[in-house]
Amino acid sequence: MIDDFAKDALHGQLRSIRQALVWKLEGLSEYDVRRPLTATGTNLLGLVKHLATLEAWYFGEVFGRPFPGPLGRWQDADGSDLWVTPGETREQIIDFYQRAWGHADATIEELPIDAPGHVPWWSRPDVKLFNIMVHVLQETTRHAGHADILREQLDGRTGVRAEYEEQIDTAAREAYWAKIERAAQEAAGGSHHADLSDTHCAVGTP
């Protein structure tokens, strides 16, 4: 009974976070979903592509259920799953992610939570379905958090889905930001760090 509860709970959280991540692309231009927004090149559509690849691997070959589509070998991982080429469309990447969901969901639903798997790229390669569900949920949650920040940098929108989104109150946000900035400067002895203090002004700036 507790095994079924644990599997359903983890699976439910994973399904919810997948949807939230895809929603972060809504309403953005092709440039904004693709462009690098951190020093390491992190971008919104690349996060979706990466998580699609991750689910296809972990719920595929790890349990002897290969994903029915082309995938790079884990040995050849070179970061190409973290960005999107001009020849790949947004629709193709989202479709890949959704097909990876379907394959992963079938693995989760058909196997018991203690089903054995093998992850050759881990130092302790012998795993259970439980380990993989926790790992993929952790990775998806982490990258969804990245997507939250990237989207906020682009146009200020926040939230996990449209029905929970609140209208942006620019004045309230600026007052809140200023309060935190004053507290930070006071804690630092009054010194002003221009490279950090003007971050809020970068929203929407190419």
Side-chain angles (χ1 to χ4, degrees):
M1 184 69 70
I2 190 65
D3 286 351
D4 290 341
F5 173 81
K7 189 167 81 163
D8 289 347
L10 292 171
H11 199 184
Q13 287 295 313
L14 179 58
R15 283 176 162 141
S16 177
I17 295 168
R18 289 167 175 165
Q19 296 287 353
L21 184 67
V22 171
W23 179 64
K24 291 297 174 181
L25 306 177
E26 187 176 298
L28 291 177
S29 68
E30 286 301 319
Y31 175 62
D32 281 341
V33 296
R34 296 162 182 265
R35 66 180 170 118
L37 292 164
T38 70
T40 57
T42 307
N43 61 96
L44 283 166
L45 197 56
L47 290 176
V48 174
K49 182 180 179 181
H50 172 66
L51 287 170
T53 305
L54 182 140
E55 288 214 34
W57 271 344
Y58 277 105
F59 292 111
E61 68 175 85
V62 166
F63 295 99
R65 301 164 58 92
F67 179 74
L71 282 178
R73 300 187 309 159
W74 66 267
Q75 298 99 321
D76 301 330
D78 58 1
S80 60
D81 66 321
L82 289 166
W83 62 282
V84 180
T85 68
E88 295 174 297
T89 69
R90 181 192 319 219
E91 292 73 24
Q92 287 172 333
I93 299 302
I94 294 173
D95 177 68
F96 174 30
Y97 195 21
Q98 291 173 339
R99 287 186 293 111
W101 298 354
H103 189 73
D105 289 347
T107 296
I108 293 167
E109 289 163 3
E110 293 175 23
L111 298 181
I113 200 168
D114 62 349
H118 185 79
V119 187
W121 53 92
W122 283 12
S123 59
R124 294 182 177 180
D126 294 324
V127 298
K128 305 290 187 186
L129 178 62
F130 174 78
N131 302 113
I132 298 304
M133 291 186 71
V134 170
H135 177 72
V136 172
L137 178 59
Q138 180 185 41
E139 284 288 308
T140 306
T141 302
R142 176 170 174 257
H143 290 310
H146 295 155
D148 284 339
I149 299 300
L150 298 186
R151 183 63 193 251
E152 186 175 345
Q153 285 181 337
L154 286 168
D155 61 7
R157 290 181 68 179
T158 60
V160 295
R161 54 176 62 104
E163 58 265 36
Y164 299 143
E165 189 175 18
E166 296 181 2
Q167 186 173 357
I168 296 173
D169 184 333
T170 303
R173 283 190 176 186
E174 289 180 351
Y176 182 65
W177 186 95
K179 179 172 67 175
I180 298 171
E181 171 65 15
R182 286 193 299 271
Q185 290 201 31
E186 183 178 342
S191 61
H192 178 70
H193 301 281
D195 57 328
L196 296 180
S197 63
D198 293 331
T199 300
H200 73 303
C201 297
V203 172
T205 303

